[in-house]
Amino acid sequence: MSKYRELVLNPPKVLHNIKEDAREVIFYVVSCMCDNKYTLRFKKNDEGDFKMSGMGYSLIKLQFGHREGGIKPFEIEWAADEGNWLDVKNMINSGTVKVEKVISR
């Protein structure tokens, strides 16, 4: 069974790893295409807002919310700014990747 399929059938409980008032949160994700692995990084800027990076990979290719008409990366950043990590995880999982692991500092 593929790692992606494993994560669909049994999503891990990863949000407990996010520290309160974290300045950086990294989501490790697995793609539906050949179980490719990517990293999504949320880092606070000088204004205290989270900015999301695909760490060299185009975020648009992850097709967040492709079934719901599309979720823009800024919508995910806004949820992160509010500290709503459950919504962030769900929006990421709505695309072509599934969250495998989360770390923060």
PDB file of all heavy atoms in Angstrom, residues 34-64:
ATOM      1  N   CYS A  34       3.127   9.021  -6.902  1.00  0.00           N
ATOM      2  CA  CYS A  34       4.327   8.223  -6.598  1.00  0.00           C
ATOM      3  C   CYS A  34       4.859   8.447  -5.190  1.00  0.00           C
ATOM      4  O   CYS A  34       6.051   8.237  -4.935  1.00  0.00           O
ATOM      5  CB  CYS A  34       5.440   8.513  -7.604  1.00  0.00           C
ATOM      6  SG  CYS A  34       4.952   8.224  -9.297  1.00  0.00           S
ATOM      7  N   ASP A  35       4.014   8.891  -4.260  1.00  0.00           N
ATOM      8  CA  ASP A  35       4.436   9.134  -2.873  1.00  0.00           C
ATOM      9  C   ASP A  35       5.589  10.122  -2.762  1.00  0.00           C
ATOM     10  O   ASP A  35       6.415  10.037  -1.852  1.00  0.00           O
ATOM     11  CB  ASP A  35       4.812   7.821  -2.170  1.00  0.00           C
ATOM     12  CG  ASP A  35       3.599   7.026  -1.725  1.00  0.00           C
ATOM     13  OD1 ASP A  35       2.480   7.578  -1.729  1.00  0.00           O
ATOM     14  OD2 ASP A  35       3.762   5.860  -1.354  1.00  0.00           O
ATOM     15  N   ASN A  36       5.668  11.068  -3.688  1.00  0.00           N
ATOM     16  CA  ASN A  36       6.693  12.101  -3.584  1.00  0.00           C
ATOM     17  C   ASN A  36       6.489  12.883  -2.292  1.00  0.00           C
ATOM     18  O   ASN A  36       5.360  13.099  -1.862  1.00  0.00           O
ATOM     19  CB  ASN A  36       6.622  13.066  -4.775  1.00  0.00           C
ATOM     20  CG  ASN A  36       7.034  12.413  -6.059  1.00  0.00           C
ATOM     21  OD1 ASN A  36       7.802  11.454  -6.073  1.00  0.00           O
ATOM     22  ND2 ASN A  36       6.521  12.916  -7.166  1.00  0.00           N
ATOM     23  N   LYS A  37       7.588  13.314  -1.673  1.00  0.00           N
ATOM     24  CA  LYS A  37       7.520  14.030  -0.403  1.00  0.00           C
ATOM     25  C   LYS A  37       7.945  15.474  -0.595  1.00  0.00           C
ATOM     26  O   LYS A  37       8.883  15.766  -1.323  1.00  0.00           O
ATOM     27  CB  LYS A  37       8.401  13.348   0.640  1.00  0.00           C
ATOM     28  CG  LYS A  37       7.898  11.953   0.956  1.00  0.00           C
ATOM     29  CD  LYS A  37       8.635  11.315   2.091  1.00  0.00           C
ATOM     30  CE  LYS A  37       7.999   9.956   2.349  1.00  0.00           C
ATOM     31  NZ  LYS A  37       8.295   9.468   3.650  1.00  0.00           N
ATOM     32  N   TYR A  38       7.211  16.372   0.088  1.00  0.00           N
ATOM     33  CA  TYR A  38       7.474  17.805   0.014  1.00  0.00           C
ATOM     34  C   TYR A  38       7.415  18.389   1.419  1.00  0.00           C
ATOM     35  O   TYR A  38       6.908  17.765   2.345  1.00  0.00           O
ATOM     36  CB  TYR A  38       6.444  18.509  -0.882  1.00  0.00           C
ATOM     37  CG  TYR A  38       6.383  17.933  -2.274  1.00  0.00           C
ATOM     38  CD1 TYR A  38       5.359  17.076  -2.658  1.00  0.00           C
ATOM     39  CD2 TYR A  38       7.380  18.227  -3.197  1.00  0.00           C
ATOM     40  CE1 TYR A  38       5.325  16.538  -3.937  1.00  0.00           C
ATOM     41  CE2 TYR A  38       7.344  17.682  -4.482  1.00  0.00           C
ATOM     42  CZ  TYR A  38       6.311  16.846  -4.828  1.00  0.00           C
ATOM     43  OH  TYR A  38       6.282  16.315  -6.088  1.00  0.00           O
ATOM     44  N   THR A  39       7.902  19.609   1.527  1.00  0.00           N
ATOM     45  CA  THR A  39       7.891  20.327   2.792  1.00  0.00           C
ATOM     46  C   THR A  39       7.192  21.661   2.590  1.00  0.00           C
ATOM     47  O   THR A  39       7.524  22.397   1.666  1.00  0.00           O
ATOM     48  CB  THR A  39       9.337  20.580   3.277  1.00  0.00           C
ATOM     49  OG1 THR A  39      10.016  19.329   3.352  1.00  0.00           O
ATOM     50  CG2 THR A  39       9.349  21.233   4.632  1.00  0.00           C
ATOM     51  N   LEU A  40       6.219  21.950   3.449  1.00  0.00           N
ATOM     52  CA  LEU A  40       5.545  23.244   3.444  1.00  0.00           C
ATOM     53  C   LEU A  40       5.955  23.973   4.720  1.00  0.00           C
ATOM     54  O   LEU A  40       5.776  23.453   5.818  1.00  0.00           O
ATOM     55  CB  LEU A  40       4.032  23.076   3.412  1.00  0.00           C
ATOM     56  CG  LEU A  40       3.460  22.342   2.211  1.00  0.00           C
ATOM     57  CD1 LEU A  40       1.958  22.191   2.349  1.00  0.00           C
ATOM     58  CD2 LEU A  40       3.800  23.081   0.937  1.00  0.00           C
ATOM     59  N   ARG A  41       6.493  25.167   4.551  1.00  0.00           N
ATOM     60  CA  ARG A  41       7.034  25.897   5.695  1.00  0.00           C
ATOM     61  C   ARG A  41       6.236  27.182   5.922  1.00  0.00           C
ATOM     62  O   ARG A  41       6.026  27.957   4.993  1.00  0.00           O
ATOM     63  CB  ARG A  41       8.482  26.245   5.414  1.00  0.00           C
ATOM     64  CG  ARG A  41       9.155  27.048   6.472  1.00  0.00           C
ATOM     65  CD  ARG A  41      10.585  27.290   6.032  1.00  0.00           C
ATOM     66  NE  ARG A  41      11.262  28.183   6.919  1.00  0.00           N
ATOM     67  CZ  ARG A  41      12.357  28.833   6.600  1.00  0.00           C
ATOM     68  NH1 ARG A  41      12.896  28.678   5.413  1.00  0.00           N
ATOM     69  NH2 ARG A  41      12.921  29.624   7.457  1.00  0.00           N
ATOM     70  N   PHE A  42       5.795  27.372   7.149  1.00  0.00           N
ATOM     71  CA  PHE A  42       5.135  28.596   7.572  1.00  0.00           C
ATOM     72  C   PHE A  42       6.098  29.315   8.508  1.00  0.00           C
ATOM     73  O   PHE A  42       6.478  28.768   9.546  1.00  0.00           O
ATOM     74  CB  PHE A  42       3.842  28.298   8.326  1.00  0.00           C
ATOM     75  CG  PHE A  42       2.766  27.706   7.466  1.00  0.00           C
ATOM     76  CD1 PHE A  42       2.751  26.357   7.171  1.00  0.00           C
ATOM     77  CD2 PHE A  42       1.759  28.503   6.946  1.00  0.00           C
ATOM     78  CE1 PHE A  42       1.765  25.803   6.380  1.00  0.00           C
ATOM     79  CE2 PHE A  42       0.764  27.965   6.157  1.00  0.00           C
ATOM     80  CZ  PHE A  42       0.771  26.613   5.869  1.00  0.00           C
ATOM     81  N   LYS A  43       6.488  30.527   8.141  1.00  0.00           N
ATOM     82  CA  LYS A  43       7.428  31.285   8.963  1.00  0.00           C
ATOM     83  C   LYS A  43       6.887  32.691   9.152  1.00  0.00           C
ATOM     84  O   LYS A  43       6.414  33.310   8.193  1.00  0.00           O
ATOM     85  CB  LYS A  43       8.808  31.325   8.314  1.00  0.00           C
ATOM     86  CG  LYS A  43       9.859  31.923   9.216  1.00  0.00           C
ATOM     87  CD  LYS A  43      11.248  31.741   8.643  1.00  0.00           C
ATOM     88  CE  LYS A  43      12.245  32.306   9.640  1.00  0.00           C
ATOM     89  NZ  LYS A  43      13.609  32.085   9.233  1.00  0.00           N
ATOM     90  N   LYS A  44       6.980  33.185  10.387  1.00  0.00           N
ATOM     91  CA  LYS A  44       6.505  34.542  10.668  1.00  0.00           C
ATOM     92  C   LYS A  44       7.459  35.558  10.070  1.00  0.00           C
ATOM     93  O   LYS A  44       8.672  35.425  10.171  1.00  0.00           O
ATOM     94  CB  LYS A  44       6.384  34.778  12.170  1.00  0.00           C
ATOM     95  CG  LYS A  44       5.147  34.148  12.759  1.00  0.00           C
ATOM     96  CD  LYS A  44       4.892  34.638  14.155  1.00  0.00           C
ATOM     97  CE  LYS A  44       3.594  34.029  14.666  1.00  0.00           C
ATOM     98  NZ  LYS A  44       3.280  34.481  16.006  1.00  0.00           N
ATOM     99  N   ASN A  45       6.873  36.597   9.459  1.00  0.00           N
ATOM    100  CA  ASN A  45       7.684  37.688   8.921  1.00  0.00           C
ATOM    101  C   ASN A  45       7.856  38.767   9.991  1.00  0.00           C
ATOM    102  O   ASN A  45       7.417  38.599  11.136  1.00  0.00           O
ATOM    103  CB  ASN A  45       7.077  38.237   7.624  1.00  0.00           C
ATOM    104  CG  ASN A  45       5.706  38.854   7.826  1.00  0.00           C
ATOM    105  OD1 ASN A  45       5.269  39.127   8.946  1.00  0.00           O
ATOM    106  ND2 ASN A  45       5.003  39.083   6.731  1.00  0.00           N
ATOM    107  N   ASP A  46       8.453  39.882   9.634  1.00  0.00           N
ATOM    108  CA  ASP A  46       8.708  40.966  10.590  1.00  0.00           C
ATOM    109  C   ASP A  46       7.427  41.573  11.158  1.00  0.00           C
ATOM    110  O   ASP A  46       7.441  42.151  12.236  1.00  0.00           O
ATOM    111  CB  ASP A  46       9.538  42.074   9.927  1.00  0.00           C
ATOM    112  CG  ASP A  46      10.951  41.615   9.599  1.00  0.00           C
ATOM    113  OD1 ASP A  46      11.424  40.645  10.231  1.00  0.00           O
ATOM    114  OD2 ASP A  46      11.577  42.228   8.707  1.00  0.00           O
ATOM    115  N   GLU A  47       6.330  41.436  10.425  1.00  0.00           N
ATOM    116  CA  GLU A  47       5.045  41.969  10.881  1.00  0.00           C
ATOM    117  C   GLU A  47       4.280  40.976  11.754  1.00  0.00           C
ATOM    118  O   GLU A  47       3.183  41.273  12.223  1.00  0.00           O
ATOM    119  CB  GLU A  47       4.201  42.365   9.673  1.00  0.00           C
ATOM    120  CG  GLU A  47       4.836  43.470   8.854  1.00  0.00           C
ATOM    121  CD  GLU A  47       4.197  43.630   7.495  1.00  0.00           C
ATOM    122  OE1 GLU A  47       3.338  42.796   7.123  1.00  0.00           O
ATOM    123  OE2 GLU A  47       4.572  44.575   6.791  1.00  0.00           O
ATOM    124  N   GLY A  48       4.830  39.772  11.940  1.00  0.00           N
ATOM    125  CA  GLY A  48       4.185  38.754  12.771  1.00  0.00           C
ATOM    126  C   GLY A  48       3.186  37.892  12.033  1.00  0.00           C
ATOM    127  O   GLY A  48       2.445  37.139  12.649  1.00  0.00           O
ATOM    128  N   ASP A  49       3.149  37.998  10.699  1.00  0.00           N
ATOM    129  CA  ASP A  49       2.239  37.182   9.895  1.00  0.00           C
ATOM    130  C   ASP A  49       2.983  35.975   9.337  1.00  0.00           C
ATOM    131  O   ASP A  49       4.158  36.074   8.991  1.00  0.00           O
ATOM    132  CB  ASP A  49       1.684  37.993   8.720  1.00  0.00           C
ATOM    133  CG  ASP A  49       0.860  39.188   9.172  1.00  0.00           C
ATOM    134  OD1 ASP A  49       0.209  39.092  10.229  1.00  0.00           O
ATOM    135  OD2 ASP A  49       0.862  40.207   8.461  1.00  0.00           O
ATOM    136  N   PHE A  50       2.274  34.850   9.249  1.00  0.00           N
ATOM    137  CA  PHE A  50       2.877  33.664   8.657  1.00  0.00           C
ATOM    138  C   PHE A  50       2.899  33.779   7.137  1.00  0.00           C
ATOM    139  O   PHE A  50       1.924  34.206   6.525  1.00  0.00           O
ATOM    140  CB  PHE A  50       2.112  32.399   9.053  1.00  0.00           C
ATOM    141  CG  PHE A  50       2.466  31.883  10.412  1.00  0.00           C
ATOM    142  CD1 PHE A  50       1.631  32.091  11.492  1.00  0.00           C
ATOM    143  CD2 PHE A  50       3.642  31.181  10.618  1.00  0.00           C
ATOM    144  CE1 PHE A  50       1.954  31.607  12.748  1.00  0.00           C
ATOM    145  CE2 PHE A  50       3.983  30.694  11.866  1.00  0.00           C
ATOM    146  CZ  PHE A  50       3.127  30.908  12.939  1.00  0.00           C
ATOM    147  N   LYS A  51       3.997  33.375   6.540  1.00  0.00           N
ATOM    148  CA  LYS A  51       4.134  33.265   5.095  1.00  0.00           C
ATOM    149  C   LYS A  51       4.442  31.808   4.776  1.00  0.00           C
ATOM    150  O   LYS A  51       5.296  31.181   5.408  1.00  0.00           O
ATOM    151  CB  LYS A  51       5.251  34.166   4.559  1.00  0.00           C
ATOM    152  CG  LYS A  51       4.935  35.641   4.694  1.00  0.00           C
ATOM    153  CD  LYS A  51       3.731  35.995   3.839  1.00  0.00           C
ATOM    154  CE  LYS A  51       3.278  37.410   4.065  1.00  0.00           C
ATOM    155  NZ  LYS A  51       1.972  37.659   3.500  1.00  0.00           N
ATOM    156  N   MET A  52       3.750  31.271   3.791  1.00  0.00           N
ATOM    157  CA  MET A  52       3.906  29.867   3.433  1.00  0.00           C
ATOM    158  C   MET A  52       4.863  29.729   2.256  1.00  0.00           C
ATOM    159  O   MET A  52       4.796  30.483   1.293  1.00  0.00           O
ATOM    160  CB  MET A  52       2.549  29.256   3.078  1.00  0.00           C
ATOM    161  CG  MET A  52       2.623  27.779   2.768  1.00  0.00           C
ATOM    162  SD  MET A  52       1.024  26.949   2.646  1.00  0.00           S
ATOM    163  CE  MET A  52       0.223  27.816   1.349  1.00  0.00           C
ATOM    164  N   SER A  53       5.739  28.734   2.342  1.00  0.00           N
ATOM    165  CA  SER A  53       6.693  28.452   1.271  1.00  0.00           C
ATOM    166  C   SER A  53       6.643  26.967   0.940  1.00  0.00           C
ATOM    167  O   SER A  53       6.531  26.132   1.841  1.00  0.00           O
ATOM    168  CB  SER A  53       8.106  28.829   1.732  1.00  0.00           C
ATOM    169  OG  SER A  53       9.071  28.287   0.866  1.00  0.00           O
ATOM    170  N   GLY A  54       6.753  26.668  -0.336  1.00  0.00           N
ATOM    171  CA  GLY A  54       6.827  25.277  -0.776  1.00  0.00           C
ATOM    172  C   GLY A  54       8.257  24.769  -0.799  1.00  0.00           C
ATOM    173  O   GLY A  54       8.519  23.677  -1.289  1.00  0.00           O
ATOM    174  N   MET A  55       9.185  25.575  -0.277  1.00  0.00           N
ATOM    175  CA  MET A  55      10.604  25.202  -0.209  1.00  0.00           C
ATOM    176  C   MET A  55      11.134  24.824  -1.591  1.00  0.00           C
ATOM    177  O   MET A  55      11.774  23.808  -1.776  1.00  0.00           O
ATOM    178  CB  MET A  55      10.820  24.067   0.791  1.00  0.00           C
ATOM    179  CG  MET A  55      10.268  24.323   2.177  1.00  0.00           C
ATOM    180  SD  MET A  55      11.195  25.537   3.083  1.00  0.00           S
ATOM    181  CE  MET A  55      12.641  24.623   3.486  1.00  0.00           C
ATOM    182  N   GLY A  56      10.829  25.667  -2.578  1.00  0.00           N
ATOM    183  CA  GLY A  56      11.301  25.444  -3.936  1.00  0.00           C
ATOM    184  C   GLY A  56      10.278  24.766  -4.835  1.00  0.00           C
ATOM    185  O   GLY A  56      10.467  24.671  -6.039  1.00  0.00           O
ATOM    186  N   TYR A  57       9.181  24.289  -4.267  1.00  0.00           N
ATOM    187  CA  TYR A  57       8.149  23.625  -5.050  1.00  0.00           C
ATOM    188  C   TYR A  57       6.953  24.568  -5.174  1.00  0.00           C
ATOM    189  O   TYR A  57       6.567  25.220  -4.203  1.00  0.00           O
ATOM    190  CB  TYR A  57       7.731  22.311  -4.380  1.00  0.00           C
ATOM    191  CG  TYR A  57       6.832  21.465  -5.229  1.00  0.00           C
ATOM    192  CD1 TYR A  57       7.341  20.736  -6.300  1.00  0.00           C
ATOM    193  CD2 TYR A  57       5.473  21.404  -4.991  1.00  0.00           C
ATOM    194  CE1 TYR A  57       6.515  19.971  -7.098  1.00  0.00           C
ATOM    195  CE2 TYR A  57       4.638  20.638  -5.781  1.00  0.00           C
ATOM    196  CZ  TYR A  57       5.164  19.929  -6.828  1.00  0.00           C
ATOM    197  OH  TYR A  57       4.344  19.170  -7.623  1.00  0.00           O
ATOM    198  N   SER A  58       6.355  24.641  -6.330  1.00  0.00           N
ATOM    199  CA  SER A  58       5.224  25.530  -6.579  1.00  0.00           C
ATOM    200  C   SER A  58       3.995  25.096  -5.772  1.00  0.00           C
ATOM    201  O   SER A  58       3.527  23.959  -5.882  1.00  0.00           O
ATOM    202  CB  SER A  58       4.881  25.520  -8.070  1.00  0.00           C
ATOM    203  OG  SER A  58       3.702  26.244  -8.290  1.00  0.00           O
ATOM    204  N   LEU A  59       3.461  26.015  -4.974  1.00  0.00           N
ATOM    205  CA  LEU A  59       2.295  25.707  -4.149  1.00  0.00           C
ATOM    206  C   LEU A  59       1.058  25.430  -4.987  1.00  0.00           C
ATOM    207  O   LEU A  59       0.225  24.611  -4.613  1.00  0.00           O
ATOM    208  CB  LEU A  59       2.019  26.868  -3.187  1.00  0.00           C
ATOM    209  CG  LEU A  59       3.099  27.133  -2.151  1.00  0.00           C
ATOM    210  CD1 LEU A  59       2.784  28.401  -1.370  1.00  0.00           C
ATOM    211  CD2 LEU A  59       3.244  25.959  -1.207  1.00  0.00           C
ATOM    212  N   ILE A  60       0.933  26.091  -6.107  1.00  0.00           N
ATOM    213  CA  ILE A  60      -0.257  25.934  -6.939  1.00  0.00           C
ATOM    214  C   ILE A  60      -0.401  24.493  -7.458  1.00  0.00           C
ATOM    215  O   ILE A  60      -1.505  24.003  -7.670  1.00  0.00           O
ATOM    216  CB  ILE A  60      -0.271  26.969  -8.090  1.00  0.00           C
ATOM    217  CG1 ILE A  60      -1.672  27.167  -8.629  1.00  0.00           C
ATOM    218  CG2 ILE A  60       0.669  26.583  -9.196  1.00  0.00           C
ATOM    219  CD1 ILE A  60      -2.572  27.936  -7.722  1.00  0.00           C
ATOM    220  N   LYS A  61       0.713  23.792  -7.615  1.00  0.00           N
ATOM    221  CA  LYS A  61       0.669  22.410  -8.106  1.00  0.00           C
ATOM    222  C   LYS A  61       0.092  21.445  -7.076  1.00  0.00           C
ATOM    223  O   LYS A  61      -0.258  20.318  -7.412  1.00  0.00           O
ATOM    224  CB  LYS A  61       2.061  21.954  -8.531  1.00  0.00           C
ATOM    225  CG  LYS A  61       2.530  22.646  -9.781  1.00  0.00           C
ATOM    226  CD  LYS A  61       3.830  22.089 -10.267  1.00  0.00           C
ATOM    227  CE  LYS A  61       4.226  22.775 -11.557  1.00  0.00           C
ATOM    228  NZ  LYS A  61       5.392  22.191 -12.165  1.00  0.00           N
ATOM    229  N   LEU A  62      -0.005  21.874  -5.826  1.00  0.00           N
ATOM    230  CA  LEU A  62      -0.560  21.003  -4.786  1.00  0.00           C
ATOM    231  C   LEU A  62      -2.082  21.019  -4.790  1.00  0.00           C
ATOM    232  O   LEU A  62      -2.712  20.240  -4.097  1.00  0.00           O
ATOM    233  CB  LEU A  62      -0.011  21.407  -3.420  1.00  0.00           C
ATOM    234  CG  LEU A  62       1.517  21.338  -3.312  1.00  0.00           C
ATOM    235  CD1 LEU A  62       1.977  21.790  -1.937  1.00  0.00           C
ATOM    236  CD2 LEU A  62       2.055  19.964  -3.631  1.00  0.00           C
ATOM    237  N   GLN A  63      -2.674  21.895  -5.565  1.00  0.00           N
ATOM    238  CA  GLN A  63      -4.119  21.944  -5.831  1.00  0.00           C
ATOM    239  C   GLN A  63      -4.960  21.915  -4.552  1.00  0.00           C
ATOM    240  O   GLN A  63      -5.881  21.120  -4.421  1.00  0.00           O
ATOM    241  CB  GLN A  63      -4.522  20.807  -6.766  1.00  0.00           C
ATOM    242  CG  GLN A  63      -3.823  20.855  -8.092  1.00  0.00           C
ATOM    243  CD  GLN A  63      -4.148  19.668  -8.971  1.00  0.00           C
ATOM    244  OE1 GLN A  63      -4.992  18.845  -8.640  1.00  0.00           O
ATOM    245  NE2 GLN A  63      -3.489  19.581 -10.099  1.00  0.00           N
ATOM    246  N   PHE A  64      -4.673  22.806  -3.618  1.00  0.00           N
ATOM    247  CA  PHE A  64      -5.461  22.874  -2.391  1.00  0.00           C
ATOM    248  C   PHE A  64      -6.920  23.112  -2.724  1.00  0.00           C
ATOM    249  O   PHE A  64      -7.266  24.017  -3.469  1.00  0.00           O
ATOM    250  CB  PHE A  64      -4.960  24.008  -1.488  1.00  0.00           C
ATOM    251  CG  PHE A  64      -3.511  23.909  -1.119  1.00  0.00           C
ATOM    252  CD1 PHE A  64      -2.626  24.907  -1.462  1.00  0.00           C
ATOM    253  CD2 PHE A  64      -3.033  22.808  -0.435  1.00  0.00           C
ATOM    254  CE1 PHE A  64      -1.290  24.828  -1.118  1.00  0.00           C
ATOM    255  CE2 PHE A  64      -1.688  22.720  -0.096  1.00  0.00           C
ATOM    256  CZ  PHE A  64      -0.826  23.720  -0.427  1.00  0.00           C
TER     257      PHE A  64
END
